[in-house]
Amino acid sequence: MTQINSTAEITFDADLTALNTLGIAAKAQKLIEITSVNQLKQLHKDGLFEKEQPFILGGGSNILLRRNISRTVLKISLVGITVLSEDERYALVDVSAGVNWHSLVEWAVENNFGGIENLALIPGTVGAAPIQNIGAYGVELKDVIESVTFFDLESGMNQTLTNRECIFGYRDSIFKNELKGKVIVTGICLKLTKPPHTVNSSYRSLSEFLQNKQITDPGIDDIFDAVVAIRESKLPNPNLIGNAGSFFKNPIVERTLFVALTDTFPDIPGYEVSKSQVKIPAGWLIEKAGWKGKKVGNVGTYKNQALVLVNYGGATGEELWNHALRIQKSVSETFGVELTPEVNIIE
Ligand SMILES: Cc1cc2nc3c(=O)[nH]c(=O)nc-3n(C[C@H](O)[C@H](O)[C@H](O)COP(=O)(O)OP(=O)(O)OC[C@H]3O[C@@H](n4cnc5c(N)ncnc54)[C@H](O)[C@@H]3O)c2cc1C
């Protein structure tokens, strides 16, 4: 380990196995841990961002490392949660990019701030949350976020975008498109509710869970507990089985194609997105194509949820990627529907 400009620590030939939840044993030629925005300014002054586009790493829970990384990896470890202002109904909360997302949700529920309880137990960091507009159990980050602050790699300046300017969509934002590779998110500002909260328990498995527990008037803590319990029963713990959550996005298809598919597959589920488009659960397509729980070498799909690709141990990034391609091809041949990865594929 060396120091650059006595500000940031740099590790050469860094092992990334424990820094990606798929547990792929890739290496980075150079890894720098960022604990202050001043370090980014210093790296900009040193000309690092003119020479190369660094890879920005949060909690590594939404990436597939296909091979070793030759560019510099910046691990974002900026921490801090600050309540900026409060009135009777809302609190504006500023959170640094390196804060663990689930710890933030726990903090909010403990402090009786509402709005993100449905997003409990999503792995990763706060800084990555706006990149794909994280969502679960009927809530998306875009429902509660005021603004995103980032460091612009070209100008070396901080900038802030409002919710609307972030162009959030389903697992999408400006940071996956126009600003991809050009910025580092350093913090977000959330607008959280104060009691009495309006909770969102409309998502089917959530409302069923609450009904079974005979909770008729749930508070944000009930929603939090329910989401944690449901997720623990359904999704593999990355500490036990390497995975990156849902590997593919749920495809949105033309209604005409969906209607045609119901002839052959009468039980195919679909959710209306617009008058002309329908969203199909990718997990259903993968399961129906015969991949649920199937193991091929060191990789496979999870036994309880076909949408989750897993590393049973010792898989290479290429092995996992080839498995993803096999599934994509099989779903395309069976249904004529193209799956696109939700996980970021890192070359
Ligand atoms: C078991 C499991 C369950 C999951 N469930 C859900 C779910 O319900 N809903 C959901 O939406 N997601 C889910 N995910 C995916 C993942 O948790 C989220 O996408 C999360 O926001 C990724 O955070 P991270 O810090 O791990 O990002 P990383 O994997 O480190 O990075 C993801 C991408 O964001 C970029 N990035 C990271 N930090 C920054 C930054 N500060 N500035 C700029 N770019 C950055 C990276 O370069 C990369 O392209 C799940 C993952 C797992 C393993």
Side-chain angles (χ1 to χ4, degrees), residues 21 55-63 76 97 121-129 131-136 171 183-186 231 235-236 238 243-246 342 344 346:
T21 60
F55 174 64
I56 313 305
L57 180 65
S61 65
N62 202 20
I63 54 170
I76 307 303
L121 223 57
I122 297 182
T125 57
V126 162
I131 307 292
Q132 73 155 3
N133 177 28
I134 57 168
R171 301 295 183 270
V183 304
I184 299 172
V185 173
T186 53
R231 291 185 72 102
L235 290 169
N243 76 92
S246 305
E342 175 181 318
N344 297 277
I346 313 303

Side-chain angles (χ1 to χ4, degrees), residues 129-194:
I131 307 292
Q132 73 155 3
N133 177 28
I134 57 168
Y137 297 92
V139 171
E140 287 182 322
L141 184 70
K142 75 170 168 54
D143 304 329
V144 289
I145 197 162
E146 274 287 287
S147 61
V148 177
T149 300
F150 59 82
F151 181 84
D152 182 295
L153 293 179
E154 196 185 324
S155 68
M157 308 288 278
N158 277 334
Q159 281 185 45
T160 299
L161 290 185
T162 61
N163 180 319
R164 216 161 59 88
E165 289 168 331
C166 291
I167 320 176
F168 290 120
Y170 164 59
R171 301 295 183 270
D172 201 24
S173 75
I174 195 169
F175 305 105
K176 283 190 100 169
N177 298 292
E178 216 177 307
L179 294 182
K180 189 176 170 149
K182 296 182 178 163
V183 304
I184 299 172
V185 173
T186 53
I188 66 174
C189 180
L190 298 176
K191 186 176 180 179
L192 301 177
T193 60
K194 294 185 51 174

Side-chain angles (χ1 to χ4, degrees), residues 219-271:
I220 59 171
D221 49 346
D222 297 312
I223 301 283
F224 174 89
D225 290 344
V227 169
V228 168
I230 298 169
R231 291 185 72 102
E232 279 178 340
S233 70
K234 273 194 184 164
L235 290 169
N237 178 345
N239 295 326
L240 305 177
I241 306 178
N243 76 92
S246 305
F247 197 89
F248 298 102
K249 292 189 197 180
N250 293 319
I252 295 172
V253 302
E254 292 304 313
R255 182 176 291 279
T256 44
L257 171 59
F258 181 75
V259 172
L261 282 170
T262 55
D263 285 344
T264 327
F265 307 99
D267 57 337
I268 188 169
Y271 304 94

Side-chain angles (χ1 to χ4, degrees), residues 17-85:
T17 316
L19 299 182
N20 72 99
T21 60
L22 270 165
I24 302 293
K27 287 196 161 189
Q29 229 172 61
K30 219 162 65 166
L31 176 104
I32 304 176
E33 180 153 28
I34 300 298
T35 53
S36 80
V37 174
N38 279 342
Q39 288 173 340
L40 293 175
K41 289 190 175 147
Q42 186 61 50
L43 291 171
H44 182 265
K45 247 192 205 164
D46 295 346
L48 177 77
F49 307 135
E50 276 167 35
K51 283 185 236 138
E52 58 165 325
Q53 191 186 81
F55 174 64
I56 313 305
L57 180 65
S61 65
N62 202 20
I63 54 170
L64 167 59
L65 301 169
R66 278 187 69 183
R67 48 184 73 95
N68 293 338
I69 304 190
S70 52
R71 46 193 173 133
T72 302
V73 175
L74 299 183
K75 165 97 182 80
I76 307 303
S77 302
L78 305 163
V79 291
I81 303 177
T82 313
V83 178
L84 294 177
S85 65

Side-chain angles (χ1 to χ4, degrees), residues 202-218:
S202 56
Y203 200 84
R204 170 122 51 102
S205 55
L206 186 53
S207 61
E208 283 172 1
F209 183 94
L210 293 165
Q211 229 167 20
N212 288 339
K213 293 262 171 206
Q214 298 182 336
I215 300 172
T216 49
D217 185 18

